[in-house]
Each structure stands twice: as C-alpha cells, then as structure tokens.
Amino acid sequence: MKALVCEEPGRLRLDDRPEPGSPPPGWALVSVSHVGICGTDYHIYGGKHPFLNYPRVMGHEVSGRVVAVGADVAIAPGSPVVVNPYVSCGHCGACRKGKPNCCTAIAVLGVHTDGAMCERVLVPAGNLYPAAGITLEQAATVEFLAIGAHGVRRSGAAPGATALVIGAGPIGLGTALFARIAGQRVTLLDTSVERLAFARDALGFDDTLLAGDGLADRVAAHTGGEGFDVVYDATGAAPSIEAAFAHVGHGGTLVLLSVVRDTISFSDPEFHKREMTLHGSRNATRVDFDHVLACLKDGRIDVAPLITHRTTLAGAADDLPRWASEKTGLVKAMIVVDAA
C-alpha cells in the first residue's frame, strides 16, 4: 500500500509499505478515506515535536470505512467510521478513572506509532465511532474539533460566562465554536488580522482582539476591568500562555489546550489573589467525540468554511511542506486518500 513517510525532519517520501494484514481479535482494518493535517503534523515535519521518533507515518485526524474485523468485534465491514487515535492501555490509574486521553502508556496514531497518511490502518475496534449521517470529509474533522470540545468541558464554565480564546488556528476556532454552543460569550484573540477576519466573516465571531501593544489595558477595558471568566490558550507559544494568566478574572479559570517544550512561569501572588483554577486539557474522550458528532449531524457545526485546502496522498509530499510555511488563507488542509 502507499504511505506518506516523514523519514526525518524536512523530508517526506511516498513509499510502498506492506499491507497491515488481518486484524487480530478486538481490532479492525480500516480503509482510510480522509486525513486532516494538524499542527502536530507540521511540527513533526519541522522536527519540533517533543515525543517522536523517525521515520514516522503521520496522520491522526482520520475517517474511513471498515474493511475487515477480528474476533469479538461488533462493527460491520463497510461501516463509515471516525478513528479515535488515542490508543490507551486500559488499566493504568488514568484509564481506571475514565481518563484514557491521558493514559500513562498512551500511543497516539501518527505520533507514538505510525498513523493514517496511508491507504489502510489497523485500529482497536473500541477506537472506532460510527460516522453514519455525516460525510467522510466531515468525519475527519471530528478529532480536532473534539480537542476544543474537551477543553470547553474541562473549563466547567456556565452558560453566560465570558470566554477569551487565544489563538484563531483550527484548535482555537474549534474551541470557540464549542464555547459558543455551551452558551459562553466568546472573544477571540490572535496576532493575525486575517485570521480574526476569517473568524468574523466565516464563523460569525464579531468580538475580537488583536494582540500587540497595550493588550493588557485593552483586555481590562473590554471586560470592565474584571477579566474573563474563562481563558483558553490554543497558541502553543510559551509567551502567550504566560501572558494569559493576567487575562483571567478573579475566581476564573485558565485552560491550556496546547503543549510546549518550555517551562511555564507565573506570578504566584496574582494566581492566589484571583483564586484561579488552572486546567491542562489533553486530547479528548469518547463523550467529546460523541458531542462533536451530534453537533455535526444536527447542523450546530458547519465545517465547510474550515476546510480551506485539499490534496491527495501523493500530492501531500509537496503540499504539506509548502503549507508548513505558507499560511495565508490556510485553516484546515485535508488529504483525500479515497473519497469513495
């Protein structure tokens, strides 16, 4: 089968690889339909990911159809599915607490193990969720949207809460969409005029702030000096994360959706003065995937404006490196492996 391999930072190759073979008990063989290109994939290509060995087949935003199943699998061949790429051990402390998204032995497709930028992939059947009622292209957006949905759920913020989403990339936009669905009053902050204009014109987020000089004063003016009830940082940038603490109001919450290599520091007196809650938000769980699927099916989420670029598995060898640096007009790029 064909697979797009990142052999080392800065080098992609379309390769011929052996077929995955018959699925063992509890597993399924999936014919890949669509794969979304994530910021993680660009980081892997650029050599900036902290948890990765090369060579690697990337791809963890995946939809497809079941080709074959092993013993004790109820899902039928031919079924359209969303792939949950977080393969957990099922028995560590986090898994026993119902948090397989932060399993101590987690293996994320396309990161810790080879992913789905290929024609077929073996996946535990428990990681496949039915995608009937939506297109397979829509289904390939479920994983990245679930990241934002999980962060919103982690916040615990009530309807009517004021929310600042920092970073208007795909994860930030997804977070903003689900914060809005949760009834939060959303403001978007970014360094890019273009991205804020997209959020306004394509997604209806009229309340925006442009990062830059005097931001702290502008946030204070925007909130009547009170700060935001909840702040979500989706930038993947340490300076932005450190600055975000100051945007949280007294009694408020900061949710960190991105991971950085750096050590993050903050003022403990300011943190305690606010009695702030700080949440890490990692990956997503089944309940988040189900919430996204329900929102896609009933029309609360329209992903059409978000998918701005498309390519094929062969074309991605040239397109992914270009999109890693040429961001104008790019929100979400999609690899169409098999549209049938």
Side-chain angles (χ1 to χ4, degrees):
M1 68 172 183
K2 296 294 184 184
L4 185 64
V5 183
C6 188
E7 298 182 296
E8 60 185 12
R11 190 150 67 98
L12 296 178
R13 184 185 79 249
L14 189 65
D15 201 4
D16 285 305
R17 288 203 160 188
E19 292 283 344
S22 299
W27 288 62
L29 178 64
V30 175
S31 176
V32 177
S33 174
H34 291 73
V35 184
I37 301 177
C38 176
T40 297
D41 301 316
Y42 295 121
H43 289 158
I44 292 170
Y45 171 75
K48 299 176 182 177
H49 198 283
F51 309 121
L52 189 115
N53 295 313
Y54 298 87
R56 179 62 71 228
V57 176
M58 300 178 291
H60 60 273
E61 301 178 2
V62 193
S63 68
R65 291 187 181 275
V66 175
V67 175
V69 298
D72 303 317
V73 174
I75 194 164
S79 299
V81 290
V82 171
V83 176
N84 178 338
Y86 320 127
V87 181
S88 57
C89 73
H91 55 76
C92 73
C95 288
R96 294 196 308 272
K97 294 170 187 171
K99 294 178 69 68
N101 56 306
C102 52
C103 167
T104 59
I106 199 166
V108 180
L109 297 181
V111 180
H112 306 99
T113 63
D114 281 343
M117 290 188 187
C118 59
E119 293 180 307
R120 282 166 289 282
V121 64
L122 277 173
V123 184
N127 286 65
L128 300 180
Y129 306 151
I134 60 174
T135 69
L136 285 171
E137 183 171 73
Q138 289 176 312
T141 69
V142 171
E143 189 274 342
F144 92 81
L145 290 171
I147 299 289
H150 183 71
V152 171
R153 187 162 62 89
R154 287 279 286 155
S155 78
T162 58
L164 176 66
V165 178
I166 308 174
I171 298 299
L173 292 173
T175 302
L177 288 166
F178 281 94
R180 185 166 65 187
I181 286 171
Q184 298 169 21
R185 291 178 285 156
V186 178
T187 302
L188 269 166
L189 168 65
D190 200 272
T191 59
S192 168
V193 172
E194 178 194 3
R195 288 208 168 193
L196 292 177
F198 174 85
R200 181 185 64 247
D201 298 339
L203 302 176
F205 290 102
D206 294 325
D207 198 357
T208 62
L209 289 168
L210 183 65
D213 293 342
L215 178 61
D217 291 338
R218 287 186 284 124
V219 167
H222 196 82
T223 61
E226 293 190 348
F228 289 91
D229 297 323
V230 58
V231 175
Y232 304 95
D233 190 280
T235 64
S240 174
I241 293 171
E242 292 181 341
F245 284 81
H247 305 325
V248 181
H250 284 235
T253 299
L254 175 59
V255 182
L256 303 183
L257 287 146
S258 52
V259 60
V260 296
R261 289 177 179 267
D262 311 75
T263 297
I264 301 299
S265 62
F266 58 90
S267 166
D268 186 65
E270 290 296 324
F271 182 80
H272 274 82
K273 183 172 73 176
R274 288 168 168 78
E275 198 179 52
M276 189 189 304
T277 300
L278 176 63
H279 284 302
S281 183
R282 187 182 184 191
N283 302 328
T285 65
R286 176 70 186 254
V287 66
D288 306 305
F289 279 76
D290 286 344
H291 180 38
V292 174
L293 282 162
C295 290
L296 286 169
K297 289 176 183 178
D298 67 16
R300 281 177 287 171
I301 293 288
D302 178 12
V303 296
L306 298 173
I307 304 171
T308 56
H309 293 57
R310 293 174 178 82
T311 188
T312 62
L313 199 58
D318 293 321
D319 291 332
L320 191 153
R322 186 174 73 257
W323 295 334
S325 58
E326 295 179 7
K327 300 296 187 183
T328 301
L330 174 65
V331 179
K332 173 58 63 176
M334 191 71 66
I335 300 174
V336 182
V337 180
D338 183 1

